[in-house]
Amino acid sequence: MPAVMWSCGPLNGTGGAEDQPLCQHLHLVLSVFSLLYLVAGVPVGLGYNALLVLVNLHDQSSMTMPDVYFVNMAVAGLVLSALAPVHLLGPTASGWALWGFGSEAHVTLLVLFNVSSLVTMYSTALLSLDCYIERALPRTYMSSVYNTRHVCGFVWGGALLTSFSSLLFYVCSHVAARIVECSKMRDAQAADAIMVFIGYVVPALAVFYALALISRIRKADTPLDQDAGRPDPSVHRLLVATVCTQFGLWTPHYLTLLGHTLLALRGKPVDRHHLGILLFAKDVARFLAFSSSSVVPLLYRYINRNFPSKLRRLIKKMHCGRQSCSPDQAGVQQVMA
């Protein structure tokens, strides 16, 4: 059994002797970063995502449109943080697996991962579009909290329906001998192609379009810039940081899905050397995708101006318990904060 989480097994016997040390060093570095993420990143992701959800749900009257989308992404981040140990240490890794599970559990975890990735990407895209609407038409209330909550409900429903294709391919792989139609759907690469197009290409186009429109508005000096009801400037910084983070960390994952699909379309068996490279790239992409669940709530914590005050109100309510705080107690706690 190898001493690291991922091994160079697929590359053995395919490259020269000079390639083996480099391969071993790369897998060792990836193993160290992954273990550090499991020890530190997963608790941070679970803690900050849960805190983001609790703080906003506790003070729903002060929630804004961006807050609703970040709560949506935080829920998806909680799912990703819970799935990270299973994916990074389980049989989906290309080398050493600490445990194993059946095909049914594997498909269930895959569906949950796909749902979380779709919710994350579409929440980012819709946040960009709504920020443009709110900046261009600040007093029309088209991007209100009420509308955003319903939109997020449709996002989760659409993510579940799209991820259902993974379950459909699994079912067809078991009954293909009896149903001729399912025999044409046995390739998992079709599900990967669907995920690349729906889960990455579509939201990427929406985000680029929204950012281009926002940049045009920011360049134009209009009377709306002096309007007291215009969006908080920190929202734009948070939007840009979130878009760059999400697409920067999720792009490698969708590129590996695209590469797997293109290799399958060649109709030729993949040699061990290319298979090893693909598995290593898949492990790196999976690690980056899971790390987004802990990075985004940290961005929200340190860029959003309203979060500290909401957090103080939540802590004050938890400290007072069921009894309401007196004005003196509240004033003393604010001075101490």
Side-chain angles (χ1 to χ4, degrees):
M1 180 179 294
V4 295
M5 190 181 306
W6 288 278
S7 66
C8 298
L11 296 177
N12 289 338
T14 59
E18 65 277 3
D19 295 335
Q20 293 302 315
L22 178 60
C23 171
Q24 293 175 358
H25 290 319
L26 289 176
H27 283 79
L28 179 61
V29 170
L30 179 60
S31 300
V32 171
F33 276 101
S34 298
L35 289 175
L36 288 176
Y37 171 72
L38 292 175
V39 173
V42 170
V44 168
L46 290 173
Y48 271 95
N49 281 309
L51 190 63
L52 194 157
V53 174
L54 290 176
V55 167
N56 283 283
L57 293 184
H58 166 258
D59 195 1
Q60 297 186 31
S61 60
S62 64
M63 286 183 67
T64 61
M65 175 270 297
D67 294 333
V68 178
Y69 283 118
F70 276 97
V71 169
N72 213 41
M73 286 186 279
V75 175
L78 288 173
V79 178
L80 288 174
S81 298
L83 294 177
V86 181
H87 279 271
L88 296 179
L89 298 177
T92 54
S94 62
W96 175 30
L98 294 184
W99 56 76
F101 44 73
S103 300
E104 291 79 4
H106 172 70
V107 173
T108 301
L109 294 173
L110 179 62
V111 169
L112 291 175
F113 178 81
N114 289 338
V115 169
S116 301
S117 66
L118 289 171
V119 170
T120 299
M121 300 302 289
Y122 274 91
S123 295
T124 305
L126 293 173
L127 172 64
S128 304
L129 293 172
D130 277 356
C131 283
Y132 162 69
I133 295 174
E134 187 174 10
R135 186 170 182 84
L137 304 170
R139 296 189 180 279
T140 58
Y141 302 103
M142 293 179 61
S143 57
S144 63
V145 175
Y146 177 80
N147 294 333
T148 304
R149 289 174 179 172
H150 289 280
V151 169
C152 290
F154 282 108
V155 168
W156 280 98
L160 288 172
L161 290 176
T162 304
S163 300
F164 184 75
S165 60
S166 302
L167 181 61
L168 181 62
F169 286 117
Y170 169 75
V171 172
C172 285
S173 66
H174 283 69
V175 300
R178 286 170 289 180
I179 302 179
V180 179
E181 291 77 7
C182 275
S183 63
K184 301 178 181 179
M185 303 174 59
R186 297 186 64 177
D187 288 334
Q189 289 76 21
D192 293 341
I194 293 174
M195 289 297 300
V196 170
F197 179 75
I198 298 178
Y200 183 79
V201 175
V202 174
L205 293 176
V207 165
F208 292 150
Y209 180 68
L211 291 181
L213 294 175
I214 292 175
S215 64
R216 290 179 60 184
I217 292 179
R218 289 177 63 85
K219 291 179 181 178
D221 188 12
T222 64
L224 290 177
D225 294 330
Q226 285 74 38
D227 190 350
R230 68 187 180 92
D232 188 349
S234 64
V235 174
H236 179 74
R237 296 194 297 270
L238 181 60
L239 170 64
V240 174
T242 302
V243 168
C244 294
T245 300
Q246 295 287 29
F247 279 86
L249 295 177
W250 280 98
T251 295
H253 168 68
Y254 286 102
L255 287 179
T256 56
L257 293 182
L258 181 61
H260 189 210
T261 303
L262 294 178
L263 288 176
L265 290 176
R266 297 193 319 174
K268 299 179 181 179
V270 182
D271 56 49
R272 294 176 60 86
H273 179 69
H274 290 91
L275 179 60
I277 294 176
L278 181 62
L279 291 177
F280 178 75
K282 186 177 181 181
D283 291 334
V284 175
R286 186 186 294 115
F287 165 74
L288 294 176
F290 280 115
S291 64
S292 66
S293 62
S294 58
V295 176
V296 173
L298 290 176
L299 292 176
Y300 181 86
R301 164 65 179 84
Y302 290 104
I303 298 180
N304 190 299
R305 295 180 178 180
N306 299 324
F307 185 82
S309 59
K310 291 182 179 180
L311 181 60
R312 286 193 294 268
R313 288 196 293 268
L314 177 61
I315 295 176
K316 182 178 68 175
K317 183 176 181 180
M318 294 176 61
H319 177 73
C320 295
R322 296 182 178 179
Q323 298 179 356
S324 60
C325 294
S326 63
D328 294 337
Q329 289 178 339
V332 171
Q333 289 183 0
Q334 289 179 0
V335 172
M336 293 178 63

